[in-house]
Amino acid sequence: MSAEDLEDYEADQELQLYREYRDVVGLFSYVVETDRRFYLANSVDLKAHEAGTDVYFELTLKDAWVWDTFRSARFVKNVHVLTFKDVNIEELAKSDLEPPSSLRR
């Protein structure tokens, strides 16, 4: 396999993943970003814990979808993440997920 074949394969995988994301985003209420993954979820629980002078985060997601090219099953019932890094949680507005009225037919 040449480097170009590998690049084409990876680009195709990313495109397929983006299309899947576009198809499922409307099923979820939250977008969650950690240092390692990007998730869509319907339930999010975030707790901060102190460990000496450090703080770490415990994140529990339910009914989630994981942005990961190499995962065969991206829908996950429960996700539990522990991290010392930032966690970003955004609630999706359902109106943001619909196309503008000028594009609806």
Side-chain angles (χ1 to χ4, degrees):
M1 179 178 268
S2 71
E4 186 176 322
D5 289 341
L6 184 57
E7 286 178 21
D8 289 346
Y9 173 78
E10 288 174 350
D12 184 56
Q13 291 296 103
E14 281 289 322
L15 182 59
Q16 286 180 27
L17 185 61
Y18 170 76
R19 287 179 177 154
E20 183 177 325
Y21 164 82
R22 185 189 60 202
D23 291 344
V24 302
V25 68
L27 302 173
F28 297 94
S29 300
Y30 299 94
V31 172
V32 180
E33 292 178 83
T34 69
D35 62 314
R36 298 193 59 199
R37 295 276 190 278
F38 175 89
Y39 301 92
L40 298 171
N42 282 321
S43 174
V44 178
D45 181 43
L46 178 67
K47 294 179 182 153
H49 299 280
E50 291 185 24
T53 59
D54 293 323
V55 174
Y56 70 93
F57 301 98
E58 180 179 10
L59 179 64
T60 303
L61 309 175
K62 293 186 180 184
D63 186 24
W65 181 88
V66 184
W67 180 286
D68 188 337
T69 306
F70 302 105
R71 252 179 119 77
S72 59
R74 286 184 271 279
F75 288 95
V76 183
K77 186 173 178 87
N78 295 298
V79 177
H80 192 217
V81 177
L82 298 174
T83 183
F84 283 93
K85 308 274 182 159
D86 291 340
V87 175
N88 183 45
I89 301 168
E90 296 178 30
E91 186 171 5
L92 293 168
K94 293 301 180 186
S95 62
D96 291 345
L97 302 176
E98 295 182 20
S101 58
S102 63
L103 297 177
R104 290 185 209 146
R105 299 184 195 252

